[in-house]
Amino acid sequence: MAGLDKIIKHIEDDAAAVALAILTDAQSKAEEIVSAAKEQAQKKCEEIQKKTEADVDMTLNKAESAALLQERKLILNAKQELINEVIEHAKTSLTQLPEEDYFSIIKKMIKKYALPKKGEIIFSHADKNRLPANLESELSSILSDIQGAELLISNETRKLDGGFILVYGDIEENCSFEALFMAAKESLQDKVYKFLFE
């Protein structure tokens, strides 16, 4: 029986050696797999981190661009408001001039806008009531350089903010301050912009 015990012992030893070899191999492979998984996880983490950083940079750049655009819009709006205020103030200040200065401007405007034909000039109710006494007689000398130009002061009044309306039959030339400022709006805005901001 001693021989049988030896055989069994030999089989057990061989089995133990094989089991140990399998176990060692399995542990080695498991370590390789874990190491490869760690390496892959590390690469994945680095990729995710790079993508996240890129996304964050892109989001920050977009936010910064949007903020700069918003800032430019606000500045532009503020400049436009300031320009409009300056123009409105200029228009209002014309109507608040002393009578002599106001009608001096009116006379220059009549000379500039009158046509070489017969017509009428219509003022606002307020201006009609404060017309210089000699304005009607002055009209012929104001218009002396324009051949055929003749204007009479109309009995009619209009709702105007200053200035006047020239009437030649069915044709009316609106020379109110409001109309003149509107017609010159872009040019005035450019001039005020250059004056204020350049």
Side-chain angles (χ1 to χ4, degrees), residues 36-50:
K38 280 183 180 178
E39 195 176 309
Q40 192 175 5
Q42 182 65 31
K43 282 183 184 176
K44 197 70 173 168
C45 284
E46 287 171 7
E47 285 173 15
I48 290 169
Q49 187 175 357
K50 284 180 184 174

Side-chain angles (χ1 to χ4, degrees), residues 9-179:
K9 174 81 172 124
H10 181 63
I11 291 171
E12 285 176 353
D13 288 344
D14 283 348
V18 169
L20 184 61
I22 291 171
L23 185 60
T24 303
D25 187 45
Q27 282 179 334
S28 176
K29 284 184 180 175
E31 285 173 7
E32 285 176 19
I33 290 169
V34 167
S35 177
K38 280 183 180 178
E39 195 176 309
Q40 192 175 5
Q42 182 65 31
K43 282 183 184 176
K44 197 70 173 168
C45 284
E46 287 171 7
E47 285 173 15
I48 290 169
Q49 187 175 357
K50 284 180 184 174
K51 186 179 182 325
T52 302
E53 287 172 1
D55 288 348
V56 167
D57 285 347
M58 188 170 69
T59 303
L60 287 174
N61 287 338
K62 281 182 181 178
E64 188 177 350
S65 294
L68 288 171
L69 182 63
Q70 186 65 22
E71 179 186 22
R72 279 195 290 269
K73 281 182 184 177
L74 290 171
I75 290 170
L76 184 63
N77 286 341
K79 285 180 177 179
Q80 192 61 50
E81 279 182 37
L82 184 59
I83 289 168
N84 289 338
E85 282 177 26
V86 168
I87 292 171
E88 192 60 35
H89 178 71
K91 185 173 65 171
T92 304
S93 67
L94 281 175
T95 60
Q96 296 171 350
L97 287 171
E99 282 187 22
E100 187 178 328
D101 296 335
Y102 177 82
F103 283 103
S104 174
I105 289 170
I106 292 295
K107 290 172 190 175
K108 289 175 186 171
M109 289 171 59
I110 290 170
K111 186 170 186 162
K112 180 176 181 177
Y113 294 107
L115 297 177
K117 51 173 130 178
K118 275 189 172 185
E120 288 186 320
I121 185 167
I122 300 173
F123 291 98
S124 69
H125 182 71
D127 282 357
K128 180 111 163 99
N129 288 336
R130 65 181 187 145
L131 287 177
N134 60 347
L135 181 63
E136 191 147 33
S137 60
E138 276 189 73
L139 284 174
S140 58
S141 66
I142 292 169
L143 302 172
S144 62
D145 294 348
I146 307 167
Q147 193 169 354
E150 187 181 329
L151 288 173
L152 298 174
I153 296 173
S154 175
N155 291 325
E156 181 185 350
T157 59
R158 298 270 178 95
K159 189 175 179 179
L160 303 171
D161 59 346
F164 51 85
I165 293 177
L166 296 174
V167 180
Y168 298 98
D170 294 338
I171 299 169
E172 290 190 0
E173 179 78 26
N174 189 344
C175 299
S176 68
F177 292 157
E178 183 71 31

